[in-house]
């Protein structure tokens, strides 16, 4: 009888040589002969059938210990053993299917419960202003995303639209899974969208909603404000040279607007910097404003607070744009106003 090498036997039985060595060690399938000098395993042709049986049993997921008992059984008993094994598998799958269905129900119920408590109403407006030849700002407001972006450079308008466009593709399901990770992904997407635009770039300030949680993505000198319990908070930090001088104590808030480099950004969405990300909790009654610098450079915080507190979203954005234009409209003006209201 011609014995087969382990390679020949592996090909014929569709088991890997590595698996065959393991089965030998486990006593599952002993080679017909082992060369005493070099340890090479050789198999007899009539071992192919038990070997194929092992391969098939592996394919239905049977553990090796169980396979070992089955390959030693006569045909009828082996058949009965396989039937019983499969019954157990199906019972197990049924139990897991039920658990999976329960989990799906539990998790989607959680989502409904959260968004059942809060609704968001919003309005968006972007305006060329009175001086700039074109509007390079972009702004967006939807059920899951609020964003403003202030583009600069030759491709500025493309950059601002691309940055917001990238965020529109981040699914809310992603946010539910892992808000922090999703925020980082969102920032990366926005960065990818504008990194090849040469000297052009954009600021980006965006809020993404998932129930009562919100993700804040920010880079540059557009801003997010929160009006809560009658107080106005600027919840973003300007990425500007003057702001870093204020942070270092080299400049006062009052001196900042008249500084010659007042307009210079220290960070923006270009090929260099990715946006910062943050996860926050929303409360019923919260009012948010996102604005490009064309608004908040010429309309002061007290006025913003009054308008935000008094007006519904659409009236508020109309009023804020009108105020910026009344102050000369020196830059493109964009704003998004959103109210978190109990359902
Ligand atoms: Mg601007």
């Amino acid at each position: 009888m011609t014995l087969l090498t382990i390679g020949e036997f592996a090909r014929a039985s569709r088991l890997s040589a590595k698996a065959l060595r393991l089965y030998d060690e486990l006593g599952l399938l002993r080679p017909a002969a082992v060369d005493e000098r070099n340890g090479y395993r050789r198999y007899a042709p009539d071992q192919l059938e038990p070997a194929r049986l092992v391969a098939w049993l592996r394919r239905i997921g049977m553990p090796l210990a169980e396979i070992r008992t089955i390959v030693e059984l006569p045909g009828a008993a082996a058949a009965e053993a396989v039937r019983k094994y499969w019954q157990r598998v199906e019972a197990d799958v049924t139990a897991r299917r039920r658990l999976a269905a329960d989990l799906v129900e539990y998790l989607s119920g959680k989502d409904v419960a959260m968004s059942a408590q809060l609704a968001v109403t919003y309005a968006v407006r972007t305006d060329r202003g009175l001086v700039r030849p074109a509007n390079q700002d972009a702004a967006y407001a939807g059920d899951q995303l609020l964003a403003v972006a202030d583009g600069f450079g030759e491709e500025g308008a493309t950059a601002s639209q691309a940055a917001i466009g990238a965020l529109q593709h981040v699914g809310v399901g992603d946010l539910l899974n892992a808000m922090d990770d999703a925020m980082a992904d969102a920032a990366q997407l926005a960065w990818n969208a504008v990194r090849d635009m040469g000297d052009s770039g954009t600021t980006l300030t965006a809020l993404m909603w998932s129930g009562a949680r919100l993700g804040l993505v920010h880079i540059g000198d557009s801003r997010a404000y929160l009006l809560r319990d009658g107080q106005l908070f600027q919840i973003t930090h300007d990425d500007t040279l003057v702001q870093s001088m204020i942070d270092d104590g080299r400049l006062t808030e009052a001196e900042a607007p008249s500084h010659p480099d007042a307009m210079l950004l220290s960070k923006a969405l270009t090929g260099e910097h990715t946006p910062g990300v943050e996860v926050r909790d929303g409360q019923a009654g919260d009012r948010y404003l996102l604005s490009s610098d064309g608004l908040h450079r010429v309309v002061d915080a007290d006025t913003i607070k009054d308008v935000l507190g008094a007006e519904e979203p659409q009236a508020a954005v109309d009023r804020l744009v009108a105020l910026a234009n009344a102050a000369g409209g020196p830059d493109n003006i964009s704003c998004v106003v959103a109210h978190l209201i109990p359902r």
Side-chain angles (χ1 to χ4, degrees):
M1 183 175 59
T2 318
L3 295 182
L4 304 172
T5 65
I6 192 167
E8 291 165 338
F9 192 74
R11 274 190 295 282
S13 64
R14 299 199 184 154
L15 288 163
S16 67
K18 192 178 161 202
L20 287 171
R21 283 192 289 271
L22 173 68
Y23 298 167
D24 181 10
E25 282 157 23
L26 294 172
L28 194 59
L29 190 68
R30 298 277 193 211
V34 178
D35 192 311
E36 277 176 17
R37 285 162 304 159
N38 54 25
Y40 287 167
R41 295 167 170 86
R42 292 188 181 274
Y43 292 83
D46 65 2
Q47 287 188 290
L48 270 176
E49 203 189 325
R52 288 205 181 105
L53 178 58
V54 170
W56 288 327
L57 292 172
R58 289 300 285 158
R59 279 178 68 182
I60 64 170
M62 187 179 282
L64 288 172
E66 227 163 318
I67 292 177
R68 184 159 46 194
T69 52
I70 286 184
V71 290
E72 283 165 8
L73 295 173
E80 179 60 14
V82 172
R83 198 181 61 78
K84 283 198 167 139
Y85 165 74
W86 197 247
Q87 264 180 357
R88 286 204 314 275
V89 170
E90 288 194 321
D92 183 43
V93 168
T94 305
R96 281 157 61 193
R97 184 188 298 129
R98 217 171 287 138
L99 177 60
D102 287 350
L103 277 170
V104 168
E105 203 175 326
Y106 165 72
L107 291 171
S108 30
K110 233 170 118 176
D111 185 22
V112 169
M114 260 205 295
S115 52
Q117 292 159 16
L118 293 173
V120 55
T121 60
Y122 48 81
V124 55
R125 183 149 182 181
T126 181
D127 189 277
R128 184 174 60 85
L130 302 175
V131 174
R132 296 289 173 92
N135 190 353
Q136 292 195 308
D137 280 5
Y140 177 86
D143 287 335
Q144 258 90 47
L145 173 69
L146 313 171
V148 297
D150 181 346
F152 55 83
E154 213 170 311
E155 296 296 321
T158 315
S160 59
Q161 278 161 28
I164 292 181
L167 296 190
Q168 285 174 262
H169 297 120
V170 179
V172 182
D174 305 338
L175 297 189
L176 279 172
N177 285 337
M179 195 85 176
D180 292 300
D181 288 350
M183 284 299 102
D185 289 351
Q188 186 67 37
L189 280 175
W191 185 80
N192 287 343
V194 298
R195 73 176 161 186
D196 296 326
M197 294 191 184
D199 291 337
S200 302
T202 184
T203 72
L204 177 65
T205 299
L207 282 172
M208 300 167 93
W209 308 90
S210 179
R213 302 200 81 196
L214 38 138
L216 175 61
V217 174
H218 171 77
I219 189 166
D221 66 349
S222 297
R223 290 180 180 172
Y225 292 92
L226 163 64
L227 182 72
R228 179 179 280 177
D229 301 328
Q231 281 209 51
L232 187 73
F233 306 92
Q234 183 187 327
I235 59 174
T236 50
H237 194 80
D238 290 349
D239 293 315
T240 56
L241 288 181
V242 294
Q243 184 60 51
S244 53
M245 290 168 78
I246 293 169
D247 296 343
D248 295 346
R250 287 183 285 151
L251 197 70
T252 65
E253 297 266 4
E255 291 165 337
S258 54
H259 192 278
D261 291 335
M263 304 291 276
L264 282 185
L265 295 174
S266 58
K267 272 196 222 167
L269 203 53
T270 58
E272 239 183 306
H273 306 287
T274 48
V277 298
E278 189 186 326
V279 176
R280 307 175 62 93
D281 283 317
Q283 289 177 15
D286 281 353
R287 295 184 170 194
Y288 293 89
L289 166 70
L290 306 185
S291 59
S292 66
D293 67 332
L295 175 67
H296 56 250
R297 276 184 199 282
V298 294
V299 179
D300 64 36
D302 284 339
T303 310
I304 286 175
K305 182 181 152 191
D306 291 344
V307 174
L308 211 50
E311 310 278 11
E312 288 304 303
Q314 188 60 55
V317 295
D318 291 346
R319 179 101 187 96
L320 289 169
V321 168
L323 284 166
N325 277 325
D331 192 3
N332 304 145
I333 308 149
S334 293
C335 53
V336 175
V337 168
H339 292 185
L340 266 188
I341 51 175
R343 273 183 203 268

